Every structure is written in C-alpha cells, then in structure tokens.
Amino acid sequence: SAEALKIRYGIVKSSLNSDSSASFSNFHGISFDQNELNKILYDNSKKIIAEINKEIEPFKKIIFSGAIFAGGVSLSEGFLELSEAELGIRAKIAMPTSVKGKTKDLSTIYSTSIGLVKHNFERKQSRPSSKNIKNRFKRSIIKAKELFYDYF
C-alpha cells in the first residue's frame, strides 16, 4: 500500500544526495524513484505545517511545550526537523507513556486516544463529587433568596 511505502522509504527532505536516488522495484512490484516520493512528502508536509502555523500563530508566545505530532507523515524521517524550522518551536512525536503493558507495541496513532482518555479521567478525578455539587446548589439557592429578601 502507499502508506507502507511511505513509512518504509519516505524521507521528508527537500532533496537527497545522489547516492539515495535509486529506484526500488522490489516493493510489492511497485517501481518508484526515491526522490519523487520524497518530493511529494516534502511538499505535502510543508503545506500541512503552513496550515498548522497559521492556526497557532496567535498563541506562539504562550506555547512553551512545543508541538506534538502523532502518526501519519510525522513518523517520516526529517518531518520533525522541518516542523521545528517552519514553526519556530520544538516538535516531538507523541508516544504512549504511563501506560502499563507492552508500550513498544502501541503505535503513536493510539497516543491521541490514550491522552484524551487519560485527560478525561484526570478531569473527572478533580471534579467535586455530586454531594458537593448538591451542597453548592443549595448554598446558591440560599444566597439567591437572601439577595431577594434584602432588596425586595
């Protein structure tokens, strides 16, 4: 598949040395030029990064941790270097951490899902219990009644 070809041979660089401009005809019977593949990846990566840059530009002064990418073309050699150069901030690949089990087997594709689940769980842990919410609601009603009686 094209995805497998990209992952195995793709490099995100504007140009390669003449040493690596060999054709690979043994990839499932597909013949291609390494430079052509890399030009496609490079041009598309630049477009993606330019769109990201447009979106984050207003927030660059408060982005301290940098950009975190997960899966896709970000796994290609050279993508992080290009991202850092174009965005002007640090870039890294998301990898599942703080997960028990064989994390080596987990793809970066799952990093986003795992991160969202973990974030939601931590948010729920920090929320007040339903008992506290009921108490807050009762206190709010009492305060509203007091205000009503004070002014009317």
Side-chain angles (χ1 to χ4, degrees):
S1 77
E3 184 69 13
L5 182 74
K6 176 187 76 177
I7 290 169
R8 185 163 179 182
Y9 298 107
I11 299 173
V12 179
K13 291 191 176 176
S14 58
S15 64
L16 297 173
N17 316 359
S18 57
D19 305 351
S20 47
S21 63
S23 252
F24 295 94
S25 57
N26 60 349
F27 187 75
H28 300 288
I30 300 170
S31 194
F32 68 94
D33 180 354
Q34 180 79 43
N35 280 328
E36 282 300 311
L37 173 65
N38 295 326
K39 182 176 180 347
I40 292 166
L41 287 174
Y42 180 80
D43 291 345
N44 287 332
S45 296
K46 290 238 345 162
K47 288 177 189 173
I48 291 167
I49 294 167
E51 287 298 314
I52 292 169
N53 203 17
K54 224 183 333 182
E55 292 295 321
I56 67 170
E57 189 62 43
F59 308 102
K60 277 194 178 173
K61 290 181 180 174
I62 59 171
I63 298 176
F64 299 111
S65 59
I68 301 172
F69 295 96
V73 74
S74 69
L75 301 176
S76 299
E77 182 183 332
F79 182 84
L80 291 182
E81 293 82 2
L82 179 64
S83 298
E84 288 178 342
E86 296 290 317
L87 296 174
I89 57 176
R90 279 185 318 146
K92 63 183 181 178
I93 300 292
M95 289 301 286
T97 59
S98 69
V99 177
K100 293 180 182 177
K102 296 180 179 182
T103 56
K104 288 180 185 176
D105 297 339
L106 292 174
S107 162
T108 57
I109 295 167
Y110 298 111
S111 296
T112 304
S113 301
I114 291 169
L116 289 171
V117 168
K118 185 178 174 195
H119 173 73
N120 192 34
F121 178 76
E122 288 170 353
R123 234 178 89 213
K124 282 186 177 182
Q125 295 293 83
S126 67
R127 282 188 191 160
S129 69
S130 60
K131 184 179 176 183
N132 287 342
I133 291 172
K134 287 177 186 174
N135 287 339
R136 273 196 214 165
F137 183 71
K138 283 181 183 177
R139 285 195 310 263
S140 298
I141 295 295
I142 291 168
K143 287 285 183 188
K145 284 181 181 178
E146 288 173 0
L147 278 170
F148 184 77
Y149 289 124
D150 287 346
Y151 291 99
F152 298 103

